[in-house]
Amino acid sequence: MEKLIITAALTGAEVTREHNPNLPISPEEIAAEAYRCFQTGASLIHLHVRNDDETPTQSKAVYRETISLIKEKCEVIVQVSTGGAVGMSAEERLQPVYLEPEMATLSTGSVNFGSDVFINSPAYLEKFARMMQEHNVKPEIEVFEVGMINNALQMVKKGLLSEPLHFDFVMGVPGGIPASLKNLLHLVESIPTDSTWTVAGIGRHELPLGTAAIILGGHVRVGFEDNIFYEKGVLAESNAQLVERIARVAAIHSRPLAAPDEARLILGL
Ligand code: KMH
Ligand code: ZN
């Protein structure tokens, strides 16, 4: 099996300090947290940024500052979000791609998202994929529903995406694919065999699905964007605490962790 890539999704767009007071918000806090996650085993940071008042932003300036603070501390892979927050325009969501990060997310379909709708129309997909090609940014395909895999494969046929693809199965969003082991196996069996994949289990599903991915040869995403609890009723103290736990699970299963440069090779960066 390949070494394990742990992605840390530090902040997201939806969680607030009211949900978990340990949420990193400012560029300095996010960079410090990225470094702690790197030290505990993460090689990839999935990055969202916020305004001072905690609201989500796709500001190029805030991303630039945050990425530069992260890179001062460690050479983790930085993957910017193009999902942003529900309701943002395509142009707004694309802002951090202009900074030419190593990776960016690309959600290949629309999905209900709690009480909202996360819109990714065919026109958006084409625009986002072309931008990533122009700026030499590797997409991580965010799969919230199984049909999004087929959309990605159609995009390969149209020349909008190149193989090998890298997928993130986001499982357990209310409105998206439920976070069951059976569904995870179905997703894994539905992607081209030369693809790489990671799983982001939402809430209490983070640990069991992450453990399954370690056993199956996939990769794992953890962090406050997906899960704010360490265990039932106990808030996580930090993202690094969640990284440290999944790194321990990997060690129990004799799955060594990928350092950032090893992760770059696995992902073809
Ligand atoms: N905040 C969600 C609406 C991504 O980062 O690309 C979308 C999201 C996915 O977080
Ligand atoms: Zn995200």
Side-chain angles (χ1 to χ4, degrees):
M1 272 186 205
E2 286 164 342
K3 289 191 176 179
L4 180 73
I5 302 171
I6 300 178
T7 298
L10 307 177
T11 302
E14 290 81 23
V15 173
T16 66
R17 284 247 165 99
E18 213 175 306
H19 300 125
N20 186 325
N22 304 314
L23 183 74
I25 302 276
S26 69
E28 291 77 13
E29 288 165 351
I30 292 174
E33 186 73 329
Y35 183 55
R36 277 193 292 272
C37 288
F38 162 72
Q39 287 178 308
T40 42
S43 47
L44 203 164
I45 300 296
H46 169 69
L47 189 63
H48 288 253
V49 295
R50 302 285 182 96
N51 295 308
D52 293 342
D53 66 357
E54 246 193 7
T55 53
T57 175
Q58 289 292 95
S59 154
K60 212 162 50 174
V62 183
Y63 269 101
R64 184 187 289 115
E65 184 185 354
T66 311
I67 293 170
S68 128
L69 289 171
I70 294 173
K71 296 285 181 185
E72 270 174 24
K73 293 175 195 291
C74 55
E75 271 308 316
V76 282
I77 302 167
V78 174
Q79 174 195 87
V80 301
S81 171
T82 69
V86 166
M88 287 178 172
S89 69
E91 204 41 61
E92 200 176 355
R93 286 168 54 182
L94 280 169
Q95 285 307 302
V97 177
Y98 290 99
L99 299 171
E100 310 203 324
E102 287 181 275
M103 297 183 80
T105 54
L106 175 66
S107 296
T108 51
S110 302
V111 65
N112 285 353
F113 196 89
S115 50
D116 296 311
V117 185
F118 181 36
I119 293 175
N120 295 290
S121 67
Y124 273 34
L125 300 193
E126 185 163 341
K127 188 179 170 78
F128 282 42
R130 284 199 197 287
M131 263 282 286
M132 291 186 206
Q133 283 179 333
E134 272 166 36
H135 293 274
N136 194 27
V137 175
K138 167 121 182 172
E140 175 180 274
I141 299 160
E142 305 299 296
V143 172
F144 292 82
E145 257 309 339
V146 67
M148 295 186 189
I149 293 175
N150 197 48
N151 293 346
L153 301 183
Q154 294 301 320
M155 292 171 75
V156 172
K157 284 195 182 141
K158 288 184 191 162
L160 293 166
L161 290 175
S162 341
E163 292 180 295
L165 302 172
H166 176 62
F167 292 91
D168 176 27
F169 303 133
V170 187
M171 304 182 68
V173 168
I177 191 164
S180 69
L181 204 47
K182 192 172 165 187
N183 284 341
L184 176 63
L185 292 175
H186 180 53
L187 293 172
V188 174
E189 284 164 4
S190 303
I191 59 177
T193 50
D194 67 347
S195 311
T196 46
W197 61 273
T198 190
V199 69
I202 302 301
R204 68 193 159 87
H205 302 292
E206 182 172 87
L207 182 59
L209 288 183
T211 304
I214 288 167
I215 296 165
L216 291 169
H219 302 279
V220 185
R221 178 171 116 173
V222 296
F224 285 178
E225 175 165 348
D226 304 326
N227 169 41
I228 56 170
F229 290 101
Y230 190 71
E231 56 190 72
K232 191 172 164 62
V234 180
L235 290 173
E237 288 165 12
S238 64
N239 282 277
Q241 191 187 25
L242 300 171
V243 171
E244 188 277 329
R245 178 171 60 183
I246 206 71
R248 242 183 310 128
V249 175
I252 290 166
H253 293 281
S254 301
R255 186 99 190 264
L257 304 184
D261 277 344
E262 293 171 322
R264 287 184 174 91
L265 287 176
I266 293 167
L267 297 168
L269 299 179

